[in-house]
Amino acid sequence: MSDLPKSIEIHEEGPREGFQIEPGPISTADKIAFIDALSETGLQEIQIASFVNPKRVPGWADAEEVVSGVKMRDGVRYTGLWLNEKGLLRALDAEGLTLKGSISNVTSEAFMIRNTNRDKAQNRTVQINQIETYKKHGIPMYRGGVMAAFGCNFEGEIPVSRVLESIEEIMDIAAETESPVKVISLADTMGWATPMSIKQVVGAVRERWPELKIALHLHDTRGMGIANVYAGLEMGVELFDSSVAGLGGCPFAGSHGKPAAGNVCTEDIVFMCAEMGIETGVDLERLIDVAEMAERIVGHDLPGSVKRGGSLDKLRASIH
Amino acid sequence: MSDLPKSIEIHEEGPREGFQIEPGPISTADKIAFIDALSETGLQEIQIASFVNPKRVPGWADAEEVVSGVKMRDGVRYTGLWLNEKGLLRALDAEGLTLKGSISNVTSEAFMIRNTNRDKAQNRTVQINQIETYKKHGIPMYRGGVMAAFGCNFEGEIPVSRVLESIEEIMDIAAETESPVKVISLADTMGWATPMSIKQVVGAVRERWPELKIALHLHDTRGMGIANVYAGLEMGVELFDSSVAGLGGCPFAGSHGKPAAGNVCTEDIVFMCAEMGIETGVDLERLIDVAEMAERIVGHDLPGSVKRGGSLDKLRASIH
């Protein structure tokens, strides 16, 4: 009936996303305890810190302290985010992190200019310089990311051809610098995707670059998150970014303020996959406990559904 | 890539579901204003009242007043719910309602006994008597409903063969009473469905009864609602029950109490369909306004996502 993968990998971004957006302040000890708990769920990769300007993102001023406090567990890759060489140098100094090179492109120049104050030509130069920095520090190239791959608040519809063009530009840079990317990440940065556009875009990328691994980075702005994951699964996508409890979003912003759009929720993905026989390696009950822990730490409810509805395995166990 | 229908029909159940579960009290005037606003959105069918025992469901003690207060709009069918002849007689007295006969079955006898205090044999008799009552009052037969079609909190997994058996029993009753059903409604009463099980069950029913129209009645207990609607669309399902704003559910029950599982949210379905080129006949902007009205009336946030994220057409209009 469809082409569902046997297993998928989840890159957990909850700590980095959540502690960045929450008004907080959230204590360093809480962040460490939370990451330690996440490490026990079976997740293979967790983004645990953001090395960005603490004046712009005060929630991550303690990035180094958090990383040094985490009990690094064997078999889990701990990653960090940086946006420039200064951040990268901080990440290099933070012991225990797995550093992966990535470069990024945007389908929409209007959004690129608004978001990074660069036009396409300038972005190309920045990305090439980025790769040179990776080389200098021995960081292997990993991911090419395409933002606004499904639509843009500033340009509107993004034709599939434009997504292919953006990937083409990444591939050119990768070839020029002899730094091939292993994964192309398609990001629904502003929550425009539907299951149909997921299938169209993923299908077109796959047809053009059959050897490339595709990752989906989906936001749940308009409630399409899990349906979009499902559409991705049907297209054979095996790699998803997500946030436990939907950290990074806030259901209370609501119609009364600017809505905060979170990533699609990790435990909801894990639940859907488990029920459909797709292996994630994650222990759902433990992950639900961590999602509830996230709510206690941030002090309010978070978007995820399965932590409210409960797992079915728990129900099954109660029946017999 | 898939078999998406060109258009679907939505049966809106928000007023009946919502005003039944909300602690309220919600004034009769608010209910009427809300239903009148819903009538202006393009929805073809709205369930506007529940003729049940007011001692058991005090929120619907004013069913007659509500129905008589609504400005019945041409082209909209207004329906009601009843559970026995007493309720049906009240519905018959309420002017302007479209009455449609339905009978119901449950895949799980454990749930049936718990929910209605009947075993399968007793339920058969009750359903046959129900049809006799419809005949007496000239109400045409319309729907056969199968509850717990995707899993059961009291029995666990429900094999597809059991769903087919339940439909077979409905068909037998319909044949015996010469009252053919036009629609088989498959209800995910306790929120067990995944996109995969939706496809399996709908596929099996379609194969066995290709001429039957299938409706899906989905609850969003574990966040799978919209993904399940999408899976239904991919199987060509053209009829969905839903609740504006996700009325009937409550995001605040959360892990702190018993979770209240609402129907999948109407405006989220309408949004997804509109973005995928599937006609619903519903004006999304108006429906979002009504969803926000629902929140004002019940006095708290409700589950739907698109009312928070906003429509894309509004964004598109702001771009050019």
Side-chain angles (χ1 to χ4, degrees):
Chain A
M1 209 146 48
S2 65
D3 190 23
L4 297 178
K6 291 208 168 31
S7 67
I8 64 162
E9 190 174 321
I10 292 173
H11 289 181
E12 171 60 40
E13 301 198 343
R16 199 265 303 160
E17 289 264 2
F19 302 147
Q20 171 179 310
I21 200 172
E22 289 293 336
I26 294 163
S27 75
T28 306
D30 274 349
K31 291 179 189 174
I32 293 169
F34 178 66
I35 294 163
D36 284 343
L38 264 179
S39 303
E40 304 289 324
T41 61
L43 284 162
Q44 293 128 292
E45 184 164 322
I46 311 173
Q47 196 170 54
I48 62 169
S50 190
F51 298 95
V52 287
N53 187 341
K55 278 180 197 142
R56 292 186 60 181
V57 185
W60 270 118
D62 58 354
E64 279 83 354
E65 281 174 89
V66 169
V67 175
S68 73
V70 166
K71 284 192 211 87
M72 302 279 173
R73 189 186 159 88
D74 280 352
V76 181
R77 293 186 301 278
Y78 299 89
T79 65
L81 179 79
W82 57 84
L83 300 174
N84 52 34
E85 189 168 4
K86 198 171 168 189
L88 173 58
L89 292 175
R90 288 173 61 199
L92 274 163
D93 271 348
E95 216 171 321
L97 290 186
T98 300
L99 304 191
K100 293 173 162 188
S102 66
I103 56 175
S104 111
N105 202 355
V106 187
T107 61
S108 150
E109 196 167 26
F111 176 64
M112 187 189 272
I113 291 169
R114 208 178 163 107
N115 193 39
T116 61
N117 204 23
R118 301 169 198 149
D119 63 18
K120 282 182 85 87
Q122 289 169 319
N123 186 61
R124 192 173 200 281
T125 310
V126 169
Q127 300 307 320
I128 289 174
N129 291 343
Q130 181 107 309
I131 293 179
E132 295 312 321
T133 310
Y134 294 149
K135 284 185 178 170
K136 197 165 74 189
H137 297 288
I139 299 168
M141 189 59 177
Y142 176 66
R143 181 192 282 233
V146 179
M147 294 176 82
F150 302 91
C152 171
N153 288 1
F154 309 99
E155 281 199 32
E157 255 52 58
I158 299 292
V160 177
S161 61
R162 193 96 70 79
V163 181
L164 300 181
E165 223 173 82
S166 295
I167 300 176
E168 203 83 69
E169 288 160 3
I170 288 175
M171 295 309 201
D172 279 353
I173 294 176
E176 195 178 312
T177 57
E178 293 177 352
S179 303
V181 299
K182 296 203 176 84
V183 168
I184 282 291
S185 159
L186 302 169
D188 184 25
T189 315
M190 289 161 278
W192 281 61
T194 64
M196 182 185 261
S197 61
I198 294 282
K199 290 197 167 188
Q200 284 164 344
V201 172
V202 171
V205 174
R206 255 228 190 129
E207 203 180 307
R208 176 81 180 72
W209 293 280
E211 74 288 0
L212 260 187
K213 190 162 183 171
I214 297 172
L216 286 173
H217 179 101
L218 303 170
H219 283 238
D220 199 30
T221 320
R222 295 174 177 85
M224 301 295 119
I226 281 288
N228 290 342
V229 169
Y230 176 68
L233 291 171
E234 282 203 316
M235 296 301 289
V237 174
E238 294 168 320
L239 183 52
F240 295 87
D241 296 340
S242 62
S243 289
V244 62
L247 265 169
C250 177
F252 299 99
S255 37
H256 320 298
K258 204 170 185 285
N263 279 3
V264 61
C265 170
T266 309
E267 68 271 19
D268 292 1
I269 297 181
V270 168
F271 168 80
M272 178 170 70
C273 284
E275 292 293 323
M276 304 198 311
I278 299 171
E279 187 56 57
T280 61
V282 180
D283 181 323
L284 180 59
E285 307 303 335
R286 284 190 176 192
L287 192 63
I288 290 174
D289 289 345
V290 179
E292 288 172 348
M293 182 182 182
E295 289 184 322
R296 286 194 302 273
I297 290 176
V298 302
H300 57 77
D301 279 3
L302 287 164
S305 294
V306 170
K307 68 179 154 47
R308 277 195 290 271
S311 82
L312 286 177
D313 277 343
K314 225 173 186 171
L315 268 176
R316 286 183 186 106
S318 73
I319 294 170
H320 301 295
Chain B
M1 211 148 43
S2 64
D3 190 23
L4 298 177
K6 290 208 169 33
S7 66
I8 64 162
E9 189 173 322
I10 292 173
H11 289 179
E12 170 61 39
E13 300 198 344
R16 198 266 303 160
E17 289 265 3
F19 301 147
Q20 171 180 309
I21 200 173
E22 289 293 336
I26 293 162
S27 75
T28 306
D30 274 348
K31 292 179 187 173
I32 293 168
F34 178 67
I35 294 162
D36 284 343
L38 263 179
S39 303
E40 304 288 325
T41 61
L43 283 163
Q44 292 127 294
E45 183 163 323
I46 310 173
Q47 196 170 54
I48 62 168
S50 189
F51 299 95
V52 286
N53 188 341
K55 277 181 199 142
R56 293 188 59 181
V57 186
W60 271 117
D62 58 354
E64 280 83 355
E65 281 174 89
V66 169
V67 175
S68 73
V70 166
K71 284 191 211 87
M72 302 279 173
R73 188 184 158 91
D74 280 351
V76 180
R77 293 186 301 277
Y78 299 90
T79 65
L81 178 79
W82 57 84
L83 300 174
N84 53 32
E85 188 166 5
K86 198 169 169 191
L88 173 58
L89 292 176
R90 287 173 62 199
L92 274 163
D93 271 349
E95 216 171 323
L97 290 186
T98 300
L99 304 190
K100 293 172 162 190
S102 67
I103 57 175
S104 111
N105 203 356
V106 187
T107 60
S108 151
E109 195 167 27
F111 177 64
M112 187 189 273
I113 290 170
R114 208 177 163 108
N115 193 39
T116 61
N117 205 23
R118 299 170 200 150
D119 64 17
K120 283 182 82 88
Q122 289 168 320
N123 186 60
R124 191 171 202 283
T125 310
V126 169
Q127 300 307 320
I128 290 174
N129 291 343
Q130 181 106 309
I131 294 178
E132 295 311 320
T133 310
Y134 294 149
K135 284 185 176 169
K136 198 166 74 190
H137 297 289
I139 298 169
M141 188 59 174
Y142 175 66
R143 181 191 283 233
V146 179
M147 292 176 84
F150 302 91
C152 171
N153 289 1
F154 309 99
E155 281 200 32
E157 254 52 57
I158 299 293
V160 177
S161 60
R162 194 98 69 79
V163 181
L164 299 181
E165 223 173 81
S166 295
I167 299 175
E168 204 82 69
E169 289 162 2
I170 288 174
M171 294 309 201
D172 280 352
I173 294 175
E176 195 178 312
T177 57
E178 293 177 350
S179 302
V181 298
K182 294 202 176 84
V183 168
I184 283 290
S185 161
L186 302 169
D188 183 24
T189 314
M190 288 161 277
W192 280 62
T194 64
M196 183 184 262
S197 62
I198 294 282
K199 289 195 169 188
Q200 284 163 344
V201 173
V202 170
V205 174
R206 250 220 191 140
E207 202 180 307
R208 175 82 181 71
W209 294 279
E211 74 287 0
L212 259 188
K213 190 163 184 172
I214 297 173
L216 286 173
H217 179 101
L218 303 170
H219 284 237
D220 199 29
T221 319
R222 295 173 177 86
M224 301 295 117
I226 281 287
N228 290 342
V229 169
Y230 176 69
L233 291 172
E234 282 204 316
M235 296 302 290
V237 174
E238 295 168 321
L239 183 53
F240 295 87
D241 296 341
S242 62
S243 288
V244 63
L247 265 169
C250 178
F252 299 100
S255 38
H256 320 297
K258 204 171 185 282
N263 279 3
V264 61
C265 169
T266 309
E267 67 272 19
D268 292 0
I269 298 180
V270 168
F271 168 79
M272 179 170 69
C273 286
E275 291 292 323
M276 304 199 310
I278 298 170
E279 187 56 58
T280 62
V282 180
D283 181 324
L284 180 58
E285 306 303 334
R286 284 192 176 189
L287 191 62
I288 290 175
D289 289 345
V290 179
E292 289 173 347
M293 181 181 183
E295 289 184 321
R296 286 193 302 273
I297 290 175
V298 302
H300 58 77
D301 279 3
L302 286 165
S305 294
V306 170
K307 69 179 154 46
R308 277 195 290 271
S311 81
L312 287 176
D313 277 343
K314 225 173 187 170
L315 268 177
R316 286 185 185 104
S318 73
I319 294 171
H320 301 292

